[in-house]
Amino acid sequence: MRIPALLALSAGLISPALAATVRVATFNASLYSERADGLVERLRNDDPAARKIAAVIQHKRPDILLLNEFDYDADGTAADLFQQRYLAVPQYGQAEISYPYRYFAPVNTGVPSGFDLDGDGRCDGPGDAWGFGRHPGQYGMLVLSRFPIEQSAVRTFRDVLWRDMPGALAPQHPDGSSWYPPAAWHVFPLSSKSHWDVPVRTPLGTIHLLAAHPTPPVFDGPEDRNGRRNADEIRFWRDYISTQNADWIVDDEGRRGGLAAEARFVIVGDLNADPADGGGRREAIIELLEHPRILRMATPQSVGAEAAAWADGGANTGHRGAHRHDTAAFGPQSGNLRVDYVLPSTGFRATASGVFWPMPDETGADWLDASDHRMVWVDLTD
């Protein structure tokens, strides 16, 4: 069991040098429902999948965690239930865990646009929301932290307009005309959920947790509306950490510009992009991985992911990327891909990392069916 750094230091159990280690993780938990308040109902009824998700968290014990696909509700009832009835209760032999600090906010998924965005001749379907969803808040995000969050300094970018991004990849019909009606494009948000800059005060100083969940780059047609949006949602972070490219960015409170050059950060989330395989515009994730402010480190991996790829077969047999780097299992047609990321900035050292994908005979193998994604974690120090 990992001992929280500050607690262990105060108890005299480990040296100051070892104490200053922070584990940051991302996990697409698949804790969503097709109905508004459906997740709350699930969590009130001893949800088996939620117990397994909690067990993974208890087993790996991250200090700072982004959960993708955790339905948003304004009063935080779902988050309360998950923390109190699942994380605070031992699951499958794991020790309970507490996160005194958290952050959640509205997202664009499920919010009606009033336009026919998917071209099916109607304006009221899940594909006509500003982010695909059947109710507002579906597939939301939740940040949990053992360390204080600087709530007043959080920046959100839910309302940033796609058209305002320089060189925006606006979807087009094959004849070159705009896919979206001009009135829709004029008010179309870039983010399918949201982009958040959440500053966390840690033993290593303030870490800016840069959280997002871009749309999958599939489920569209030759206009590539989802592929283009995914690429530009990823490019947002590239511009945000590049001070020379960030003047166009204005957050939801009207503050202009990107992240300060001296700030340290970790980009986290299900970015729905694999640098070697899959259907997305791979240049977007490659350019982010190769950004000069991103730490060069070993790619998180697991033996279980490699074993699963060979066992699953299908598209995996033709993939170019290393199977051990996979973070999600999408079935034989798409195969397993690397789509979930923890990307620290320069100025940190990564002392350990991994993907929680146990072998069939290892602890947690029977928890994996709770989500088609796996937790990715990185241990950071100065």
Side-chain angles (χ1 to χ4, degrees):
M1 180 189 306
R2 293 177 66 247
I3 301 171
L6 292 178
L7 177 60
L9 179 59
S10 64
L13 299 178
I14 53 179
S15 70
L18 293 177
T21 299
V22 174
R23 176 167 291 182
V24 181
T26 189
F27 193 7
N28 182 324
S30 297
L31 289 174
Y32 65 87
S33 174
E34 302 300 308
R35 298 182 296 104
D37 297 326
L39 177 59
V40 170
E41 182 177 338
R42 284 180 56 185
L43 295 176
R44 282 177 172 155
N45 288 281
D46 193 26
D47 186 74
R51 290 190 60 214
K52 293 178 179 180
I53 295 299
V56 174
I57 297 169
Q58 292 172 346
H59 186 70
K60 297 311 299 182
R61 310 191 76 76
D63 298 304
I64 305 171
L65 170 65
L66 170 67
L67 291 177
N68 285 131
E69 295 195 3
F70 190 99
D71 281 1
Y72 167 81
D73 63 281
D75 59 4
T77 300
D80 287 341
L81 289 168
F82 185 62
Q83 290 184 264
Q84 296 165 8
R85 298 191 185 183
Y86 295 85
L87 295 179
V89 177
Q91 307 289 347
Y92 298 97
Q94 307 304 301
E96 66 272 16
I97 191 168
S98 174
Y99 291 99
Y101 308 97
R102 70 188 189 191
Y103 181 80
F104 59 90
V107 292
N108 286 322
T109 36
V111 176
S113 71
F115 299 98
D116 179 12
L117 300 182
D118 56 9
D120 66 353
R122 52 187 293 181
C123 301
D124 58 353
D128 302 314
W130 288 129
F132 182 92
R134 290 177 171 80
H135 60 83
Q138 190 177 24
Y139 314 120
M141 305 193 293
L142 173 65
V143 173
L144 300 174
S145 177
R146 286 176 167 169
F147 308 122
I149 292 172
E150 298 178 9
Q151 297 280 349
S152 63
V154 171
R155 299 182 71 188
T156 66
F157 303 92
R158 179 189 176 205
D159 297 332
V160 169
L161 297 179
W162 193 355
R163 65 180 173 86
D164 287 343
M165 171 177 271
L169 298 173
Q172 297 178 336
H173 289 284
D175 64 4
S177 61
S178 175
W179 172 265
Y180 295 120
W185 180 246
H186 185 73
V187 293
F188 205 116
L190 169 64
S191 183
S192 56
K193 284 83 176 176
S194 191
H195 286 69
W196 297 342
D197 176 348
V198 182
V200 184
R201 297 198 305 271
T202 80
L204 303 178
T206 296
I207 295 176
H208 289 259
L209 194 75
L210 306 184
H213 184 192
T215 190
V218 289
F219 311 119
D220 52 18
E223 82 289 346
D224 194 28
R225 66 185 188 278
N226 292 331
R228 289 168 178 254
R229 192 180 192 184
N230 172 272
D232 278 351
E233 287 192 76
I234 293 171
R235 182 157 66 94
F236 176 89
W237 284 139
R238 198 178 83 221
D239 284 3
Y240 189 66
I241 62 176
S242 303
T243 53
Q244 70 273 22
N245 297 329
D247 284 347
W248 70 273
I249 298 174
V250 180
D251 68 27
D252 296 335
E253 298 296 324
R255 295 169 291 190
R256 181 177 297 275
L259 189 64
E262 68 277 8
R264 293 196 296 180
F265 61 86
V266 183
I267 296 174
V268 290
D270 172 4
L271 301 187
N272 272 314
D274 186 300
D277 300 296
R281 294 175 171 243
R282 290 189 285 275
E283 66 275 11
I285 189 62
I286 291 171
E287 289 171 357
L288 182 62
L289 292 170
E290 295 180 351
H291 192 283
R293 290 188 72 179
I294 297 294
L295 180 69
R296 299 297 184 266
M297 55 172 279
T299 301
Q301 59 183 277
S302 68
V303 175
E306 185 158 17
W310 292 118
D312 295 345
N316 290 300
T317 61
H319 282 180
R320 296 174 296 173
H323 296 313
R324 64 183 180 274
H325 297 158
D326 291 340
T327 69
F330 293 135
Q333 184 171 355
S334 298
N336 304 339
L337 298 170
R338 181 191 179 194
V339 295
D340 304 272
Y341 295 86
V342 177
L343 302 178
S345 66
T346 55
F348 291 114
R349 286 191 303 117
T351 58
S353 66
V355 179
F356 182 73
W357 201 323
M359 295 286 284
D361 60 347
E362 293 180 328
T363 297
D366 55 347
W367 307 337
L368 297 182
D369 61 355
S371 174
D372 52 0
H373 292 254
R374 311 292 179 248
M375 178 187 285
V376 180
W377 57 272
V378 176
D379 287 350
L380 299 175
T381 190
D382 287 321

